[in-house]
Each structure stands twice: as structure tokens, then as C-alpha cells.
Amino acid sequence: MVQKIIELSLKNRYIVLLIAAGLLVWGISAVKKNPIDAIPDLSENQVIVFTEWMGRSPQTIEDQVTYPLVSNLQGIPKVKNVRGTSMFGMSFVYIIFDDDVDVYWARTRVMERLNYAQRLLPQDVTPTLGPDGTGVGHIYWYHLDAPQMELGEQRALQDWYIKLALQTVPGVAEVASFGGYEKQYQLVVDPVKLQYYNISLMDVMNKVKTNNNDVGGRKFEMADMAYIIRGLGYIKNTADIEKIAVGNYNGIPVRVKDIGSVQMGGDLRLGIFDQNGEGEVVGGIVVMRYGENADQVIKAVKEKIKDVEKGLSAGVTLKTSYDRSTLIEAAIDNIKHKLAEEIIAVAFIVILFLFHWRSALSIIIQIPVTIAISFIILNAFGLSSNIMSLTGIALAIGVIVDNGIIMSENSYRNLSVWQNERKQKTSDPS
């Protein structure tokens, strides 16, 4: 079989060369399309379900949230394992799918099952899907450099301007905020005054909640004119909260300011983010979507940051805390230099030992063609160019040229034997 293939190739040399040239062009195109990253993504094919129920103990979360979700998510097709983790106020469920399952098909199946499992959870508890990223999706970290702005204002700027702008970048799954204070209105109630006015704390909560709302009315016609009636009730400052009536005492409305005080404060923090020991900062983590090109996403994020900085206040800039593109570029450049060195060394050794430029050329030309074909295979299996895959190609260069050297040497030996036998026949008169 091998002999017939060799004979067919020798009889159709131009067709073989044309096929090799076509594979080379296809491989060069595959190199440009192949995702580039510094490290391979070896994470499992999983979907994360996150549920928040603040103020509850881990055991309560386990019994009323995590266990019902895990029990109902186990029936999803092509699932290998379902793992649950419960902590104070939060529940995480990890659904591990088979490796050949499309991640978005898996997310759709999980969402369908969550619609059914929702009825088993406590009231006002809603599970949500985590971002469509992986464990190595943290590709870029940044922080705000705003010495004249307090941490609460920095966090508000991050959450309501910078984060929303960066989430529009193609390939970004999520931008997670960290640091600072999440602003909130805080109502400090005096229990003695609640007892005096005979008002419960639940009444105060319900009144404040229902008063923070806009309501619609009907159309009112007067003098051939139509007016739309609306009630504007959204809270804009602390004074609006202080004016909310929570009850009455002897026919006199009791307002929030009569039973306590209202102030602006920050949400409960479980940690801080420090930059090089110089103080707290506010920033964000850019999470890449599954299967995207990390190098291209980082470049797009940096371009978007330049546009975002134009809308920031004077003296506010964005600084890079972690940038994987530096590692990516260093890894790719190192592999490129090593590949070039190995190709030059192999070419020199082949020419030195064979001392026949046509044989050496036939061997050396296998290196770029084989490397190009390897990138076609990488794209077919959905693998990225990283340290491991490119190092494997570099290590295989010696194996690539081995068959060519053996074939050339064998051909040279057979030709030498044939020439010597022919000379003996011509020199022998008998």
C-alpha cells in the first residue's frame, strides 16, 4: 500500500506540490484565525447557578436552596456531575457537562430546568446563571486612579458607567467590580419612638418600599385638552425618605424623620482591595467569554478604555492592575524565536550531512507545511495557540524531518547501488 502511494506521488509530482501549496495557504489562514492565549483552558465544561439569600446561615441555605436545586438539576441530559456549595447568604451549584457538549446548549438546558425548580425555593429567592466564562477567563484587571474622589463615588462611577461600557466589548462575558463602598440609603430607627407611636418595624419597611414608586393615572380632559395624570414617587435624596409617612398619631401623620434619621452610607463589606500598600482602590475584572481569542479581547478592551476615559472627570484615569497580553506576547515571541532557531539548526545539519541542496530542500520544506497543517487541526478541535500547544510543535520538529532524512538517505543509497551495478555491467565485456 505504501509502495503504491509513493509510486503514485512520484508519477504525479505536480499534483502533490499543488496539494502541499494549498495546505500551506490554508494553514497560514488557520494561524490567523486560531485563538491566542498564554495558558491552555483546562477547566471543565460547566454552568454555574448562583443564588443569593442574604442574612441566612449556611445550613439554611443548604436545606432550602442548594439541596432543592441540586436534586432537580441532576436530570439534565449529558450531565457528568452536579456539585453544590453553601455559604453565608449565598449558594453555588456547579453543573458539569460532558466535554463534547456546547456550552450555550448546556446553559439553555439549565435555564429550562431552573424555571421548574423555582417553585421549590423560598419566596423572593431567584437563582441566576453565572457568566459564560471559565476559570482562566480573568484576562484583564484595572483600577481607578482618582485621589480627589471618595471610594463611594468611585464605586458608583465603576458600576454605572465604566462597567456598563466595557461589557459591550465583543468577547467580554462579565465585568466584576471590586473595592470601595456600594452607596445605599440607611434608615436608623429609634426603637423608643417606634414604641411611643405604636408603629412596627415592618410597617416602616413596607411604607418606605411602597412610597419609592411611580404610579400611572388616567387621561383627564379639560377645555379640549387631554392631560395624562402620573404620580412621581421615586426617591432622589434623603429628604424624600424623611418625608414619607409611616403612620399617624392622634390624626397627625408620623413621618420617617419623626422616628429616626436617614443617612447615606456603604453596604456591608467583607474585604478591601489594596494597591501596592498605598491605600484602597476601586476597579474591575474583565472576564472573557468561553472560546474567545484572549489577545484580541484584551486589545478591544484597551481601545474601549481609551474611549471611556474621555467621559471621566478631570483627574480620574484607569490604571492596569493585571494584563495577560504581556504574558501572551512574551510566550508567543519566545516560541517564535525557538522555532526559528530549530528550523535553522535542522536546515544546517541536513545540508551539512547530505551535501545535496535538492534533498535538503525537500526535507526543510516539510517544516512550514507540517506546522501549517497542525494549526488546521488545532482549529478543527477548538484548541488555542498557547505555551503547551506551541511547545509541542517545537519539540516535534526533529520528528518532522526524520522521515524526510530517512527517505532521502534510502533513495541516495539505492541510486548509488544502481549506478555501481550499471558501471560494472558496462565495464564487463562478457
Side-chain angles (χ1 to χ4, degrees):
M1 181 65 181
V2 176
Q3 183 177 357
K4 291 182 179 180
I5 294 175
I6 295 174
E7 292 178 356
L8 186 63
S9 300
L10 291 174
K11 294 178 181 178
N12 301 276
R13 289 177 293 178
Y14 294 107
I15 296 177
V16 174
L17 291 174
L18 184 62
I19 293 174
L23 290 174
L24 179 62
V25 173
W26 187 8
I28 294 174
S29 176
V31 170
K32 297 179 180 179
K33 296 179 181 179
N34 189 255
I36 301 175
D37 204 342
I39 52 180
D41 190 355
L42 302 178
S43 57
E44 294 179 300
N45 190 6
Q46 68 179 5
V47 177
I48 303 175
V49 177
F50 167 70
T51 309
E52 189 174 17
W53 197 19
M54 298 308 296
R56 271 67 178 184
S57 66
Q59 187 62 48
T60 303
I61 295 291
E62 175 72 20
D63 295 339
Q64 300 191 36
V65 178
T66 304
Y67 178 76
L69 288 178
V70 171
S71 301
N72 283 272
L73 292 174
Q74 287 179 341
I76 299 176
K78 300 183 179 180
V79 169
K80 290 197 302 184
N81 198 3
V82 180
R83 305 167 185 165
T85 301
S86 302
M87 59 185 68
F88 183 79
M90 291 179 287
S91 167
F92 293 90
V93 178
Y94 304 88
I95 303 97
I96 314 299
F97 286 84
D98 295 335
D99 294 334
D100 58 344
V101 175
D102 180 71
V103 63
Y104 295 105
W105 182 89
R107 291 172 67 86
T108 303
R109 300 287 81 78
V110 172
M111 183 61 71
E112 291 177 354
R113 188 56 65 92
L114 285 180
N115 293 332
Y116 171 78
Q118 176 72 48
R119 64 183 181 85
L120 303 175
L121 302 180
Q123 189 177 5
D124 298 331
V125 175
T126 304
T128 58
L129 293 185
D132 51 342
T134 63
V136 296
H138 294 196
I139 58 174
Y140 190 82
W141 290 35
Y142 65 90
H143 66 274
L144 277 72
D145 183 13
Q148 305 300 325
M149 186 180 295
E150 64 177 12
L151 293 175
E153 295 178 354
Q154 292 185 35
R155 182 57 183 263
L157 182 63
Q158 157 65 20
D159 287 340
W160 301 106
Y161 177 63
I162 301 174
K163 174 181 177 179
L164 301 180
L166 294 181
Q167 283 180 340
T168 62
V169 176
V172 173
E174 183 189 28
V175 178
S177 301
F178 58 79
Y181 299 91
E182 295 185 62
K183 282 189 174 183
Q184 60 179 199
Y185 293 107
Q186 296 178 346
L187 174 56
V188 183
V189 180
D190 188 343
V192 177
K193 292 182 179 180
L194 285 179
Q195 185 178 7
Y196 177 79
Y197 290 115
N198 194 22
I199 299 173
S200 66
L201 186 60
M202 188 60 66
D203 291 336
V204 177
M205 294 174 58
N206 292 333
K207 293 293 184 181
V208 173
K209 183 178 180 180
T210 55
N211 275 271
N212 184 29
N213 190 21
D214 278 359
V215 295
R218 298 184 63 182
K219 183 175 68 172
F220 175 69
E221 295 183 1
M222 183 177 65
D224 296 332
M225 293 292 292
Y227 299 90
I228 303 297
I229 308 300
R230 284 196 310 134
L232 305 180
Y234 280 127
I235 294 172
K236 296 182 175 59
N237 48 52
T238 56
D240 293 340
I241 302 178
E242 292 175 347
K243 297 176 183 178
I244 295 175
V246 295
N248 68 84
Y249 181 75
N250 294 332
I252 301 174
V254 180
R255 304 182 186 277
V256 170
K257 62 182 179 181
D258 299 326
I259 60 165
S261 60
V262 182
Q263 62 187 18
M264 289 293 298
D267 196 3
L268 178 66
R269 300 200 302 170
L270 301 178
I272 64 173
F273 191 88
D274 182 85
Q275 177 67 20
N276 295 331
E278 299 175 357
E280 292 187 52
V281 293
V282 176
I285 304 172
V286 179
V287 182
M288 180 183 66
R289 185 168 285 115
Y290 176 81
E292 293 288 339
N293 190 328
D295 191 49
Q296 291 183 0
V297 174
I298 294 175
K299 290 179 180 178
V301 168
K302 290 180 179 179
E303 290 296 326
K304 190 65 176 180
I305 286 178
K306 294 180 181 178
D307 296 335
V308 170
E309 286 181 330
K310 298 177 182 178
L312 299 177
S313 304
V316 180
T317 57
L318 298 180
K319 301 294 184 180
T320 301
S321 303
Y322 166 73
D323 183 1
R324 192 187 292 177
S325 63
T326 304
L327 178 60
I328 294 173
E329 293 172 1
I332 299 301
D333 289 341
N334 183 52
I335 294 297
K336 285 181 179 178
H337 289 121
K338 295 303 178 182
L339 281 174
E341 291 174 2
E342 290 189 8
I343 290 173
I344 293 172
V346 169
F348 177 75
I349 295 299
V350 168
I351 293 175
L352 180 65
F353 279 88
L354 294 181
F355 211 69
H356 188 259
W357 71 271
R358 292 180 63 185
S359 300
L361 182 63
S362 66
I363 297 170
I364 295 170
I365 202 172
Q366 296 180 33
I367 298 175
V369 174
T370 306
I371 293 175
I373 295 174
S374 65
F375 277 93
I376 298 174
I377 299 174
L378 286 176
N379 285 346
F381 285 94
L383 302 176
S384 64
S385 301
N386 50 67
I387 294 176
M388 292 186 66
S389 60
L390 295 179
T391 303
I393 294 175
L395 294 175
I397 287 181
V399 180
I400 293 172
V401 299
D402 277 350
N403 62 336
I405 294 174
I406 293 172
M407 295 296 293
S408 298
E409 182 185 7
N410 188 42
S411 300
Y412 182 80
R413 184 181 62 82
N414 287 329
L415 286 173
S416 299
V417 171
W418 178 77
Q419 289 177 353
N420 291 332
E421 291 178 352
R422 186 177 180 183
K423 286 181 181 181
Q424 290 179 359
K425 290 181 180 180
T426 55
S427 61
D428 189 0
S430 61

